[in-house]
Amino acid sequence: MHANVHTFYADAVLFDMDGTLTDSIAAVEAAWGKVAKDIGQDPAYVIAATHGKRAVDNLAQFKPEIKPHEMDAEVQNFEESILFFADAYGVHGPGSTVNSTPRSAREKPTPELVTSLAGSLPSSRASSFVAPGSRRPSFASRLNGMLAMSTVSQVSIYDGRYVDSLIAEEEEVLSFETDAKKHCLEAWQIEATSVDRAVRILPGVRKMIDSIPTGRYAVATSGAKTYAHGCMTRVGIVPPGVTITADDKRLKAGKPAPDPFLLAARELGFAASKCVVFEDSPSGIRAGLASGATVIAVCTSHERKQIEHIGAHYVVENMESVNCEPCEDGRLKFTVRL
């Protein structure tokens, strides 16, 4: 066999979700960018610090004023805001006029996002997701520009009726808040409709999932259930029976601790040391290694130089470089092209 083609066997597969199966980084970054703006910190710093970690841990770090009994609701609001950013362009912005597919045939946004627009936001991803030769202005710079305006123009919005309705609802619900706060909310909601941040499935993922027998793979993600299930269903991935999310009360710690992968392997009925972990983030790679699994790192959210020295057994561009084939003895044969 060629020197840079490697073969090994495993019993099951443990997938990370965002950055590994799906790409929702634009929405996640916008959400954490809003959190950064709300607390007066640098968005770039907050985005970099939060990637691959649970929202509950990140919110505890950056918004320590949140009381323990309030945290579950804050996490849900935050994750709903990610999905709002992901859906806004296609549902309310210019994408809604381009996409003529009936609403029922498309992935529907989480219902709560229509009525619960307040909350915080999420994380970081590689520049490879930006079209060659172009550079999208950062969320912070766009938001700062809008907030610098004394009034928010409604004429330039693609769907004026939507904006009028949205502002009317916000004024009714938030009538006790200051005008400045209202304008801030209007700005991020309107800005969200102007940029396509839709969730996308990553290369090779569909083929990989289809090649693994049911009951032989799980998802272990740093996202809570709202965000995790929302992302997967938006790209046509059915969340597997074993999907470990950050709000699973059985978890004592999130990544980089191995707990999510250890729990996922146990629920599948296999030892983690006999499993393969697919990961994209430094914290996730460390979690996979700590679990004892064979770790395949994909360069879908970070440049190779950022993750190749962490210790993953294999580093590939994406899942198109990996083939999985079920064997007669029940094991899974993996072929990795480096």
Side-chain angles (χ1 to χ4, degrees):
M1 184 169 288
H2 197 278
N4 60 355
V5 177
H6 301 261
T7 299
F8 66 93
Y9 296 84
D11 290 336
V13 183
L14 311 175
F15 293 108
D16 170 51
M17 187 196 69
D18 197 39
T20 301
L21 299 178
T22 64
D23 169 23
S24 65
I25 192 58
V28 170
E29 287 187 341
W32 281 121
K34 180 183 177 299
V35 169
K37 185 68 182 180
D38 289 346
I39 62 177
Q41 292 209 27
D42 176 28
Y45 168 72
V46 173
I47 287 169
T50 54
H51 186 65
K53 300 176 184 177
R54 300 185 301 175
V56 62
D57 298 325
N58 291 326
L59 289 174
Q61 175 184 351
F62 288 105
K63 302 183 76 174
E65 71 276 9
I66 298 175
K67 297 178 174 59
H69 69 275
E70 300 172 335
M71 185 57 78
D72 285 349
E74 288 289 331
V75 169
Q76 180 165 339
N77 286 340
F78 171 74
E79 298 205 337
E80 287 177 354
S81 74
I82 302 176
L83 298 179
F84 179 82
F85 275 110
D87 293 336
Y89 179 89
V91 175
H92 304 297
S96 63
T97 61
V98 173
N99 188 352
S100 60
T101 304
R103 173 75 173 272
S104 60
R106 304 197 307 265
E107 294 296 339
K108 297 179 181 179
T110 303
E112 291 83 355
L113 300 184
V114 178
T115 56
S116 176
L117 300 179
S120 358
L121 323 152
S123 168
S124 130
R125 190 59 64 76
S127 58
S128 60
F129 292 114
V130 179
S134 67
R135 184 174 182 178
R136 186 180 67 216
S138 69
F139 170 79
S141 64
R142 292 195 303 273
L143 184 58
N144 279 328
M146 297 186 76
L147 293 177
M149 301 167 61
S150 59
T151 60
V152 179
S153 173
Q154 298 177 23
V155 177
S156 61
I157 304 304
Y158 291 92
D159 189 342
R161 290 173 300 175
Y162 161 71
V163 176
D164 290 341
S165 174
L166 181 61
I167 293 176
E169 291 177 10
E170 287 301 329
E171 288 178 344
E172 180 179 351
V173 175
L174 304 169
S175 59
F176 61 93
E177 296 193 354
T178 65
D179 287 341
K181 181 63 175 177
K182 287 179 186 176
H183 283 181
C184 180
L185 288 173
E186 291 169 6
W188 81 262
Q189 292 159 6
I190 293 172
E191 191 276 345
T193 71
S194 67
V195 180
D196 185 2
R197 301 185 179 94
V199 183
R200 293 173 173 82
I201 192 167
L202 287 166
V205 169
R206 173 54 60 195
K207 180 181 177 182
M208 178 61 65
I209 290 178
D210 288 345
S211 69
I212 306 172
T214 301
R216 289 301 188 101
Y217 67 94
V219 168
T221 174
S222 295
K225 187 174 181 179
T226 296
Y227 168 52
H229 285 244
C231 280
M232 286 188 278
T233 57
R234 277 163 172 75
V235 297
I237 297 175
V238 177
V242 177
T243 297
I244 307 301
T245 56
D247 47 353
D248 192 312
K249 300 305 181 184
R250 294 171 294 179
L251 292 175
K252 293 183 178 179
K255 302 171 187 178
D259 300 39
F261 290 126
L262 291 174
L263 178 57
R266 185 166 69 247
E267 289 297 298
L268 285 176
F270 300 101
S273 60
K274 300 292 185 180
C275 294
V276 177
V277 162
F278 281 91
E279 261 289 358
D280 70 299
S281 71
S283 63
I285 293 170
R286 293 187 177 97
L289 292 170
S291 75
T294 297
V295 177
I296 299 178
V298 290
C299 301
T300 46
S301 67
H302 292 73
E303 295 180 6
R304 179 179 288 267
K305 64 183 180 181
Q306 295 177 293
I307 61 175
E308 64 182 353
H309 300 301
I310 296 176
H313 299 84
Y314 305 98
V315 180
V316 298
E317 290 306 305
N318 54 53
M319 283 191 207
E320 290 184 338
S321 299
V322 185
N323 184 69
C324 176
E325 180 182 355
C327 300
E328 291 185 1
D329 62 4
R331 295 184 302 166
L332 303 174
K333 177 183 177 181
F334 287 88
T335 304
V336 183
R337 299 181 302 280
L338 301 178

